[in-house]
Amino acid sequence: MAAAAPRTIALVVQRDLARAITAIENGYASASAAGDTLPPRRESAPAYVVGVTGPPGAGKSTLVDRLIESFRSNGDSVAVIAVDPSSPFTHGAVLGDRVRMQRHSGDHGVFIRSMASRESGGGIAPTTHHAIALASRAGFDVVIVETVGVGQVELEVVGVADVVIVVTVPALGDSVQTIKAGLTEIADLFVVNMADRPGANKTSVDLKHMVRESGKSIPVLQTIARDGTGVGEVMAALTESRGHHHTNAARSVRFDVVREVRDRAVRRALDVLDGSRGRSILERLANREMTRAVAREELLDLALEEVIHAD
Amino acid sequence: MPIKVLVAKPGLDGHDRGAKIVARALRDAGMEVVYTGLHQTPEMIVTAAVQEDVDVIGISILSGAHMTVFPKVLKLLGERGVDDIVVIGGGVIQEADGPKLKALGVRELFDSDATTQDLIDGIERVVAEFGRAQKRTDAARSTA
């Protein structure tokens, strides 16, 4: 069967998508209004969303570069949302994931956008889910979300992706320990990258044991993303899961709702703490007019009242 | 909101230590810095700038090709319908070329004597003066 001509997305649509993501990211526009400049998309065929996560330096960007290549050869248009960490101190960020995806620059079927994680500690940015929805609306067939380098607790990608790839590398010392607790609960596919390094087979075997103990059937694959070895098997697993990715929707939506509830609650609580009533309590504490414990109780009451009785 | 800057290294010039120092300094000043690596063509620079929707493109150029690269970048931005990304430059740029580049629309040039603090101040100034953040915020409010 001859491959279909790879689909592209008009450059003007790509520009408008980029601007819509900025509007959401910076709060210039509401989630519903940001996409108004984009052409409507059939609701029945949203983009297939692939999450790629794992510890720093595991080769996530290089693997994403290979996945772009493979999806393109199948004809799919691909948007990538690559998240890098913001400094908690200065709020600045260096966004460098594109460096490994340069060769797709001239391809009008590939859109790559970096996002700083901003105040989020969950491995993706607070507005990444909106950016995915916008990329889907702009007509991209596949959206790949690359998280910041994660440890055990930055799991929010599960709330936005149809399938989650957890990438690790051999001989990260206790790499399996690192990814054990949280990440194994969200993986649909494990990839042991840099499989030409010593210890790859042991890492794979350890992962397979862990998967078996958890009672799941999660594939454990090996790749050398740098030269493309093993990427075909990863694509085969993704294609297989794409056919029934709605089965992941329940897990994804549940997680996403929990995150949204928490985010909104935190925002409301912060509004109260930074408002006049909160500030006056903090001032009294600073002036030693009340104890720390009393200040804590009063602030907590204030914040919880706001969170619980919000519209 | 953080200023978002693309730090670009065009052409054959293989020296990016300076660009990396700049990227770090801008990050430490609270900016979001997209770094794209070496050997960028004007097309690659503009594609990255449009997709990333940066406020500023900062082109670091030591090779002497500035009179080719800057006009090409500005022309491509125009062709992509982008008129609100500020273009600035730094590196080795002959004094006589400065006014020519500014006439083309390059908003600021930094020579090799510029400190990272000069860069930070300069970027904040050109964004305040020529940047689009305010324009877009106002546009969003007026349609809201």
PDB file of all heavy atoms in Angstrom, chain B residues 109-131:
ATOM      1  N   LEU B 109      20.945  46.832  18.509  1.00  0.00           N
ATOM      2  CA  LEU B 109      22.150  46.048  18.239  1.00  0.00           C
ATOM      3  C   LEU B 109      23.092  46.180  19.426  1.00  0.00           C
ATOM      4  O   LEU B 109      23.248  47.270  19.981  1.00  0.00           O
ATOM      5  CB  LEU B 109      22.849  46.564  16.972  1.00  0.00           C
ATOM      6  CG  LEU B 109      22.091  46.318  15.668  1.00  0.00           C
ATOM      7  CD1 LEU B 109      22.702  47.151  14.530  1.00  0.00           C
ATOM      8  CD2 LEU B 109      22.103  44.837  15.302  1.00  0.00           C
ATOM      9  N   PHE B 110      23.689  45.075  19.817  1.00  0.00           N
ATOM     10  CA  PHE B 110      24.606  45.080  20.953  1.00  0.00           C
ATOM     11  C   PHE B 110      25.990  44.677  20.454  1.00  0.00           C
ATOM     12  O   PHE B 110      26.123  43.651  19.780  1.00  0.00           O
ATOM     13  CB  PHE B 110      24.136  44.087  22.021  1.00  0.00           C
ATOM     14  CG  PHE B 110      22.775  44.421  22.577  1.00  0.00           C
ATOM     15  CD1 PHE B 110      21.635  43.862  22.016  1.00  0.00           C
ATOM     16  CD2 PHE B 110      22.637  45.299  23.645  1.00  0.00           C
ATOM     17  CE1 PHE B 110      20.377  44.177  22.516  1.00  0.00           C
ATOM     18  CE2 PHE B 110      21.385  45.620  24.150  1.00  0.00           C
ATOM     19  CZ  PHE B 110      20.251  45.054  23.588  1.00  0.00           C
ATOM     20  N   ASP B 111      27.000  45.454  20.764  1.00  0.00           N
ATOM     21  CA  ASP B 111      28.346  45.056  20.347  1.00  0.00           C
ATOM     22  C   ASP B 111      29.002  44.198  21.432  1.00  0.00           C
ATOM     23  O   ASP B 111      28.393  43.896  22.454  1.00  0.00           O
ATOM     24  CB  ASP B 111      29.192  46.282  19.983  1.00  0.00           C
ATOM     25  CG  ASP B 111      29.437  47.188  21.185  1.00  0.00           C
ATOM     26  OD1 ASP B 111      29.322  46.701  22.336  1.00  0.00           O
ATOM     27  OD2 ASP B 111      29.726  48.376  20.974  1.00  0.00           O
ATOM     28  N   SER B 112      30.251  43.821  21.166  1.00  0.00           N
ATOM     29  CA  SER B 112      30.890  42.856  22.060  1.00  0.00           C
ATOM     30  C   SER B 112      31.232  43.469  23.418  1.00  0.00           C
ATOM     31  O   SER B 112      31.606  42.756  24.341  1.00  0.00           O
ATOM     32  CB  SER B 112      32.144  42.277  21.399  1.00  0.00           C
ATOM     33  OG  SER B 112      32.905  43.332  20.855  1.00  0.00           O
ATOM     34  N   ASP B 113      31.108  44.793  23.554  1.00  0.00           N
ATOM     35  CA  ASP B 113      31.337  45.419  24.863  1.00  0.00           C
ATOM     36  C   ASP B 113      30.106  45.341  25.766  1.00  0.00           C
ATOM     37  O   ASP B 113      30.194  45.634  26.964  1.00  0.00           O
ATOM     38  CB  ASP B 113      31.709  46.901  24.693  1.00  0.00           C
ATOM     39  CG  ASP B 113      33.068  47.069  24.030  1.00  0.00           C
ATOM     40  OD1 ASP B 113      33.877  46.117  24.142  1.00  0.00           O
ATOM     41  OD2 ASP B 113      33.296  48.107  23.394  1.00  0.00           O
ATOM     42  N   ALA B 114      28.967  44.996  25.191  1.00  0.00           N
ATOM     43  CA  ALA B 114      27.730  45.005  25.978  1.00  0.00           C
ATOM     44  C   ALA B 114      27.784  43.943  27.069  1.00  0.00           C
ATOM     45  O   ALA B 114      28.247  42.821  26.847  1.00  0.00           O
ATOM     46  CB  ALA B 114      26.539  44.748  25.061  1.00  0.00           C
ATOM     47  N   THR B 115      27.353  44.301  28.264  1.00  0.00           N
ATOM     48  CA  THR B 115      27.274  43.319  29.344  1.00  0.00           C
ATOM     49  C   THR B 115      25.925  42.603  29.250  1.00  0.00           C
ATOM     50  O   THR B 115      25.021  43.049  28.539  1.00  0.00           O
ATOM     51  CB  THR B 115      27.343  44.012  30.709  1.00  0.00           C
ATOM     52  OG1 THR B 115      26.182  44.855  30.847  1.00  0.00           O
ATOM     53  CG2 THR B 115      28.604  44.856  30.825  1.00  0.00           C
ATOM     54  N   THR B 116      25.793  41.507  29.993  1.00  0.00           N
ATOM     55  CA  THR B 116      24.504  40.822  29.972  1.00  0.00           C
ATOM     56  C   THR B 116      23.422  41.732  30.556  1.00  0.00           C
ATOM     57  O   THR B 116      22.272  41.671  30.130  1.00  0.00           O
ATOM     58  CB  THR B 116      24.563  39.483  30.735  1.00  0.00           C
ATOM     59  OG1 THR B 116      25.108  39.711  32.029  1.00  0.00           O
ATOM     60  CG2 THR B 116      25.393  38.463  30.006  1.00  0.00           C
ATOM     61  N   GLN B 117      23.814  42.591  31.504  1.00  0.00           N
ATOM     62  CA  GLN B 117      22.822  43.526  32.050  1.00  0.00           C
ATOM     63  C   GLN B 117      22.369  44.531  30.978  1.00  0.00           C
ATOM     64  O   GLN B 117      21.186  44.864  30.908  1.00  0.00           O
ATOM     65  CB  GLN B 117      23.399  44.265  33.268  1.00  0.00           C
ATOM     66  CG  GLN B 117      22.354  45.060  34.053  1.00  0.00           C
ATOM     67  CD  GLN B 117      21.220  44.184  34.579  1.00  0.00           C
ATOM     68  OE1 GLN B 117      21.456  43.119  35.149  1.00  0.00           O
ATOM     69  NE2 GLN B 117      19.972  44.610  34.351  1.00  0.00           N
ATOM     70  N   ASP B 118      23.297  44.950  30.104  1.00  0.00           N
ATOM     71  CA  ASP B 118      22.909  45.823  28.990  1.00  0.00           C
ATOM     72  C   ASP B 118      21.859  45.132  28.122  1.00  0.00           C
ATOM     73  O   ASP B 118      20.892  45.744  27.660  1.00  0.00           O
ATOM     74  CB  ASP B 118      24.118  46.160  28.110  1.00  0.00           C
ATOM     75  CG  ASP B 118      25.159  47.020  28.841  1.00  0.00           C
ATOM     76  OD1 ASP B 118      24.769  47.689  29.817  1.00  0.00           O
ATOM     77  OD2 ASP B 118      26.324  47.006  28.419  1.00  0.00           O
ATOM     78  N   LEU B 119      22.082  43.821  27.885  1.00  0.00           N
ATOM     79  CA  LEU B 119      21.150  43.048  27.061  1.00  0.00           C
ATOM     80  C   LEU B 119      19.773  42.981  27.687  1.00  0.00           C
ATOM     81  O   LEU B 119      18.752  43.188  27.027  1.00  0.00           O
ATOM     82  CB  LEU B 119      21.665  41.611  26.926  1.00  0.00           C
ATOM     83  CG  LEU B 119      22.660  41.318  25.835  1.00  0.00           C
ATOM     84  CD1 LEU B 119      23.138  39.886  25.965  1.00  0.00           C
ATOM     85  CD2 LEU B 119      21.985  41.505  24.494  1.00  0.00           C
ATOM     86  N   ILE B 120      19.777  42.670  28.988  1.00  0.00           N
ATOM     87  CA  ILE B 120      18.497  42.534  29.699  1.00  0.00           C
ATOM     88  C   ILE B 120      17.735  43.857  29.649  1.00  0.00           C
ATOM     89  O   ILE B 120      16.553  43.903  29.287  1.00  0.00           O
ATOM     90  CB  ILE B 120      18.753  42.104  31.162  1.00  0.00           C
ATOM     91  CG1 ILE B 120      19.324  40.682  31.195  1.00  0.00           C
ATOM     92  CG2 ILE B 120      17.470  42.195  31.989  1.00  0.00           C
ATOM     93  CD1 ILE B 120      20.042  40.340  32.490  1.00  0.00           C
ATOM     94  N   ASP B 121      18.452  44.946  29.967  1.00  0.00           N
ATOM     95  CA  ASP B 121      17.811  46.264  29.946  1.00  0.00           C
ATOM     96  C   ASP B 121      17.320  46.600  28.542  1.00  0.00           C
ATOM     97  O   ASP B 121      16.220  47.123  28.363  1.00  0.00           O
ATOM     98  CB  ASP B 121      18.801  47.352  30.407  1.00  0.00           C
ATOM     99  CG  ASP B 121      19.211  47.166  31.868  1.00  0.00           C
ATOM    100  OD1 ASP B 121      18.500  46.433  32.585  1.00  0.00           O
ATOM    101  OD2 ASP B 121      20.239  47.740  32.282  1.00  0.00           O
ATOM    102  N   GLY B 122      18.168  46.288  27.549  1.00  0.00           N
ATOM    103  CA  GLY B 122      17.806  46.598  26.166  1.00  0.00           C
ATOM    104  C   GLY B 122      16.574  45.841  25.717  1.00  0.00           C
ATOM    105  O   GLY B 122      15.690  46.399  25.057  1.00  0.00           O
ATOM    106  N   ILE B 123      16.503  44.563  26.075  1.00  0.00           N
ATOM    107  CA  ILE B 123      15.350  43.759  25.675  1.00  0.00           C
ATOM    108  C   ILE B 123      14.081  44.279  26.352  1.00  0.00           C
ATOM    109  O   ILE B 123      13.031  44.442  25.718  1.00  0.00           O
ATOM    110  CB  ILE B 123      15.598  42.268  25.998  1.00  0.00           C
ATOM    111  CG1 ILE B 123      16.638  41.696  25.034  1.00  0.00           C
ATOM    112  CG2 ILE B 123      14.290  41.470  25.908  1.00  0.00           C
ATOM    113  CD1 ILE B 123      17.100  40.304  25.358  1.00  0.00           C
ATOM    114  N   GLU B 124      14.200  44.574  27.642  1.00  0.00           N
ATOM    115  CA  GLU B 124      13.012  45.098  28.333  1.00  0.00           C
ATOM    116  C   GLU B 124      12.557  46.411  27.697  1.00  0.00           C
ATOM    117  O   GLU B 124      11.363  46.658  27.547  1.00  0.00           O
ATOM    118  CB  GLU B 124      13.301  45.247  29.835  1.00  0.00           C
ATOM    119  CG  GLU B 124      13.292  43.881  30.518  1.00  0.00           C
ATOM    120  CD  GLU B 124      13.732  43.887  31.969  1.00  0.00           C
ATOM    121  OE1 GLU B 124      14.227  44.930  32.437  1.00  0.00           O
ATOM    122  OE2 GLU B 124      13.583  42.834  32.616  1.00  0.00           O
ATOM    123  N   ARG B 125      13.535  47.225  27.274  1.00  0.00           N
ATOM    124  CA  ARG B 125      13.185  48.512  26.670  1.00  0.00           C
ATOM    125  C   ARG B 125      12.493  48.320  25.321  1.00  0.00           C
ATOM    126  O   ARG B 125      11.425  48.894  25.072  1.00  0.00           O
ATOM    127  CB  ARG B 125      14.448  49.355  26.508  1.00  0.00           C
ATOM    128  CG  ARG B 125      14.183  50.811  26.097  1.00  0.00           C
ATOM    129  CD  ARG B 125      15.465  51.615  26.039  1.00  0.00           C
ATOM    130  NE  ARG B 125      16.362  51.134  24.999  1.00  0.00           N
ATOM    131  CZ  ARG B 125      17.556  50.585  25.216  1.00  0.00           C
ATOM    132  NH1 ARG B 125      18.020  50.455  26.437  1.00  0.00           N
ATOM    133  NH2 ARG B 125      18.301  50.156  24.214  1.00  0.00           N
ATOM    134  N   VAL B 126      13.064  47.465  24.437  1.00  0.00           N
ATOM    135  CA  VAL B 126      12.441  47.326  23.111  1.00  0.00           C
ATOM    136  C   VAL B 126      11.078  46.650  23.203  1.00  0.00           C
ATOM    137  O   VAL B 126      10.178  46.949  22.415  1.00  0.00           O
ATOM    138  CB  VAL B 126      13.339  46.580  22.083  1.00  0.00           C
ATOM    139  CG1 VAL B 126      14.563  47.395  21.759  1.00  0.00           C
ATOM    140  CG2 VAL B 126      13.702  45.185  22.537  1.00  0.00           C
ATOM    141  N   VAL B 127      10.931  45.748  24.189  1.00  0.00           N
ATOM    142  CA  VAL B 127       9.618  45.102  24.336  1.00  0.00           C
ATOM    143  C   VAL B 127       8.584  46.125  24.813  1.00  0.00           C
ATOM    144  O   VAL B 127       7.453  46.159  24.322  1.00  0.00           O
ATOM    145  CB  VAL B 127       9.704  43.898  25.296  1.00  0.00           C
ATOM    146  CG1 VAL B 127       8.310  43.418  25.701  1.00  0.00           C
ATOM    147  CG2 VAL B 127      10.469  42.757  24.639  1.00  0.00           C
ATOM    148  N   ALA B 128       9.010  46.989  25.743  1.00  0.00           N
ATOM    149  CA  ALA B 128       8.077  48.016  26.222  1.00  0.00           C
ATOM    150  C   ALA B 128       7.710  48.972  25.086  1.00  0.00           C
ATOM    151  O   ALA B 128       6.561  49.394  24.965  1.00  0.00           O
ATOM    152  CB  ALA B 128       8.700  48.780  27.382  1.00  0.00           C
ATOM    153  N   GLU B 129       8.699  49.264  24.236  1.00  0.00           N
ATOM    154  CA  GLU B 129       8.458  50.256  23.201  1.00  0.00           C
ATOM    155  C   GLU B 129       7.771  49.675  21.970  1.00  0.00           C
ATOM    156  O   GLU B 129       6.831  50.257  21.434  1.00  0.00           O
ATOM    157  CB  GLU B 129       9.800  50.890  22.799  1.00  0.00           C
ATOM    158  CG  GLU B 129       9.646  52.134  21.950  1.00  0.00           C
ATOM    159  CD  GLU B 129      10.980  52.867  21.782  1.00  0.00           C
ATOM    160  OE1 GLU B 129      11.943  52.557  22.541  1.00  0.00           O
ATOM    161  OE2 GLU B 129      11.058  53.717  20.904  1.00  0.00           O
ATOM    162  N   PHE B 130       8.263  48.523  21.496  1.00  0.00           N
ATOM    163  CA  PHE B 130       7.782  47.988  20.225  1.00  0.00           C
ATOM    164  C   PHE B 130       7.000  46.681  20.383  1.00  0.00           C
ATOM    165  O   PHE B 130       6.451  46.177  19.417  1.00  0.00           O
ATOM    166  CB  PHE B 130       8.951  47.718  19.277  1.00  0.00           C
ATOM    167  CG  PHE B 130       9.848  48.895  19.065  1.00  0.00           C
ATOM    168  CD1 PHE B 130      11.110  48.946  19.665  1.00  0.00           C
ATOM    169  CD2 PHE B 130       9.445  49.957  18.274  1.00  0.00           C
ATOM    170  CE1 PHE B 130      11.945  50.037  19.465  1.00  0.00           C
ATOM    171  CE2 PHE B 130      10.277  51.049  18.070  1.00  0.00           C
ATOM    172  CZ  PHE B 130      11.521  51.092  18.672  1.00  0.00           C
ATOM    173  N   GLY B 131       7.006  46.085  21.576  1.00  0.00           N
ATOM    174  CA  GLY B 131       6.456  44.740  21.753  1.00  0.00           C
ATOM    175  C   GLY B 131       4.955  44.708  21.610  1.00  0.00           C
ATOM    176  O   GLY B 131       4.287  45.731  21.663  1.00  0.00           O
TER     177      GLY B 131
END
